Amino acid sequence: MLDVSQVTYPVSDDRVRQLTALVRTSLGETRRTVSPLTGDEIATIPVSSVDDVSSAFEAARCAQRAWARTSLQARQRMLLRLHDLVLDRQEELLDLIQLESGKARAHAFDEIAHLALTARYYGRRLAKIVGPHRRSGVYPGLTSVRQVQQPKGVVGVISPWNYPLTMAISDGLAALAAGNAVVHKPDSQSPLTALAGVELLRDAGFPPEIWQVVSGQGSVVGQAIIERADYICFTGSTATGKRVASQCAERLIGCSLELGGKNPMILLPGADVEKAAAGAVTAAFSSAGQLCVSIERIYVHRRQYAAFRDALVRRVQAMSFGTALDWEADMGTLVSPAQLATIEKHVEDAKAHGATVLVGGRARPDLGPWFYEPTVLDGVTPAAECFAEETFGPLVSLYVYDTVDEAVAFANAGAYGLNASVWGPARAAKQVAARLKAGTVNVNEGFAATFGSIDAPMGGMRESGTGRRQGAEGLLRFTESQAIGAQRLMPVGGPPFIGAGVFSKLMTLGLRILKKAGKA
């Protein structure tokens, strides 16, 4: 086993027992989790059965009925308390994120900030978004209509390992804010971080029973959640997302799916090459490239290609690597042997089809058992697997284009449409951004401008998913819109003492008057 002496933070047995007590389980079975920093065991985690999932839903449904009657103002106060708790207790959260995901501490802090921003946003905006809204009636003054948002009921959240705190909690947090309960299956690689987040929810005042945690294989526990939930929120691969969508369709329940991406970056003529190269390092190698919105392909105008290539290589060569629980490393490790195998396969396949490794291109077992250097490829051909397939690791490929139309066509090629990035003069870059088929597009930024703007919706087009997290859409997805209309003085069909023919003529006249008056 690799000896990484600088990794000194232990998760004590008492702390593990405290966190895993939040898992609903009756089996007596366990599984172990290991840290990608060292390959050593972190904890023993209880496994849930299908009966445990059923019990979780029973408890959640009972709690949700009371929770739905909790005032929006009370929910907002809990959300704002959560905001403070996340910031106050960030040191342990940062340690857990690093221990379970392997990412650099600076990238772990992105999760702290994102969860705090999410809690504060809904803590300030909840009543405005889901509170009752007046709508225009058939007859002004005689018909009153209110639109109200009813919670779905119990939301199933199946969260990934790559952002083990914010992807575990932020989606479900919006579901709670909207009046739902949650049954949650965190990824098997990173349960402790998710459980620490659930603990914070309870400390912020959320009733314990409204967020149930179950643990186990997706094929068993995840399937049981899909069969029982009123709505599913899933983040993961496109292949699995398609199966989830099919199962939800059979039950006529909704789902939001954030899936894969092969995210492009375009460098326009006139772009600042050095700033773009610095941005590309962050965009491609944050969390070791294990981020759904990270950049994997970069298109550069022929006149600037050599300058950008050299600037990017120079910056990658200057990066620092590490697996310590400190702020020194620019990039951490991959999470598992499977992730390492994928990037090794993609790099070797690209080389076999004529690509050149400009920098990186090798594993670093001296740094961590599954560490792989940030890698830049040139000359990747369509025959290479990494040309169109998502790598989900620290690998980015460079391509030349001659016209902006050509760059847009290259960027829009393929099945995905999650995130994109455009660098160049602001006006031209915004015009190009509007032409890209991606749910989020960042101008002179890689992904953080949209990812960190909680008021803006985030999600994918095409095979990158459906539905949106963040913003009003991220909250309303967990509700059903209900219209409540009240009529007074006269029925909508007209008073009984006026015949249908006369009433239709009066109605026609009224409709013409209302149009001229500018009424909806």
Side-chain angles (χ1 to χ4, degrees), residues 203-396:
D203 291 346
F206 290 93
E209 294 298 306
I210 64 167
W211 189 296
Q212 301 281 325
V213 182
V214 290
S215 171
Q217 292 183 348
S219 59
V220 177
V221 175
Q223 178 66 33
I225 290 174
I226 295 169
E227 291 171 354
R228 291 160 176 79
D230 300 308
Y231 188 91
I232 291 293
C233 182
F234 172 80
T235 303
S237 71
T238 294
T240 303
K242 287 180 177 181
R243 292 195 295 271
V244 171
S246 176
Q247 292 164 350
C248 289
E250 288 182 4
R251 296 190 55 228
L252 290 179
I253 65 169
C255 61
S256 54
L257 311 168
E258 187 191 290
L259 308 177
K262 189 69 179 176
N263 307 303
M265 171 176 159
I266 297 175
L267 199 73
L268 294 177
D272 186 311
V273 168
E274 290 296 331
K275 288 182 179 178
V281 168
T282 302
F285 304 127
S286 290
S287 295
Q290 299 168 120
L291 172 57
C292 295
V293 293
S294 65
I295 297 299
E296 293 198 6
R297 49 196 176 116
I298 303 178
Y299 300 98
V300 188
H301 193 273
R302 189 175 300 277
R303 290 198 301 270
Q304 293 180 293
Y305 184 81
F308 175 80
R309 177 199 61 206
D310 295 346
L312 179 60
V313 169
R314 185 173 65 251
R315 289 181 179 275
V316 173
Q317 289 172 334
M319 290 176 68
S320 60
F321 314 134
T323 53
L325 305 186
D326 58 30
W327 298 92
E328 301 305 314
D330 293 323
M331 195 187 85
T333 181
L334 293 165
V335 76
S336 68
Q339 295 303 118
L340 176 61
T342 296
I343 190 169
E344 288 183 322
K345 182 171 180 282
H346 277 192
V347 171
E348 292 308 310
D349 175 76
K351 288 163 59 178
H353 286 91
T356 301
V357 175
L358 298 177
V359 63
R362 63 191 180 116
R364 293 288 301 275
D366 56 311
L367 296 175
W370 309 307
F371 203 103
Y372 197 91
E373 289 182 341
T375 300
V376 181
L377 297 181
D378 182 30
V380 174
T381 67
E385 291 181 352
C386 71
F387 182 84
E389 292 182 17
E390 183 179 35
T391 302
F392 215 65
L395 173 64
V396 67

